[in-house]
Amino acid sequence: MSRTRRPSRTALLLTTAFLLSSCGIPETGVVEAGEPATGIRPIYVLSFVGEGTLLAVRRHVLGPGGIETAVAMLFQGPDARERRKGMTTELPSMRDAPTVRTDGGRLSIELPDGTAPLTETALAQLICTAADARLVETPDTDTASTHVTVSVPVTGPGGRRVEGSSAMCPSMTGTGGSREPPLRLTVR
């Protein structure tokens, strides 16, 4: 009986020694294999309208992101899936893109000449989308300190400037929507 066990012990020891000696992964060093990874695609929150309230909608950006990209996506309006859910926009179609500038805790958007007058809801859509996009671009920003100014051109001298805060935006408060626009209207 001891004779039968002996070959199996030897085979087991040889197999274990072989496995232990051959399981190492050889070093390869740096392997050049194309462009470096670019990270995760940013997600922006766009503010659309549904049943009289602002609704926060998350969208992935396919190309380079930025506040300008989020604002441009907002002006394109809801996609087919969002429209089926009853979402709309009060923003007009635009030929030229708005100019977006940041300065510390402030963000300003200048609408191009010829832009139709915006309702308070349309301005709220723009302010909330821009404020949230700024937080995506600079995540260490305090949400309470995000102030957005929208400059609306008017015919004749001067212009209309609208200021708003992210405090009432649906994506900032974690609620589904806000009936109060996050605006303080000033004419200049």
Side-chain angles (χ1 to χ4, degrees):
M1 195 173 231
S2 123
R3 251 181 157 175
T4 333
R5 292 180 100 191
R6 190 170 201 135
S8 51
R9 264 192 202 157
T10 306
L12 179 64
L13 286 174
L14 286 173
T15 303
T16 304
F18 175 74
L19 289 174
L20 289 176
S21 68
S22 66
C23 71
I25 298 173
E27 284 189 39
T28 59
V30 177
V31 176
E32 297 293 330
E35 296 294 316
T38 57
I40 299 172
R41 296 184 317 188
I43 298 174
Y44 291 102
V45 177
L46 308 181
S47 294
F48 291 120
V49 181
E51 297 182 16
T53 66
L54 289 182
L55 301 173
V57 177
R58 297 184 189 289
R59 286 244 193 111
H60 285 278
V61 176
L62 300 177
I67 300 167
E68 297 86 358
T69 301
V71 169
M73 289 187 328
L74 177 69
F75 273 99
Q76 291 170 1
D79 63 19
R81 183 180 52 86
E82 294 157 350
R83 285 191 304 273
R84 281 192 302 274
K85 291 182 177 182
M87 294 181 201
T88 62
T89 184
E90 290 195 13
L91 290 164
S93 298
M94 298 184 78
R95 285 182 286 143
D96 299 321
T99 303
V100 178
R101 292 185 182 91
T102 57
D103 180 23
R106 299 192 68 81
L107 172 65
S108 67
I109 301 170
E110 186 176 327
L111 299 176
D113 288 333
T115 301
L118 301 181
T119 65
E120 283 193 25
T121 301
L123 288 165
Q125 285 182 257
L126 185 55
I127 287 169
C128 290
T129 297
D132 188 80
R134 183 173 189 284
L135 294 176
V136 170
E137 295 303 306
T138 53
D140 58 336
T141 303
D142 179 19
T143 59
S145 67
T146 303
H147 297 281
V148 180
T149 302
V150 179
S151 297
V152 183
V154 294
T155 54
R160 180 175 167 212
R161 196 174 86 186
V162 181
E163 293 183 359
S165 167
S166 59
M168 295 300 295
C169 295
S171 63
M172 307 298 173
T173 61
T175 62
S178 172
R179 293 199 183 273
E180 288 187 43
L183 309 175
R184 183 179 75 236
L185 301 174
T186 45
V187 178
R188 296 217 172 150

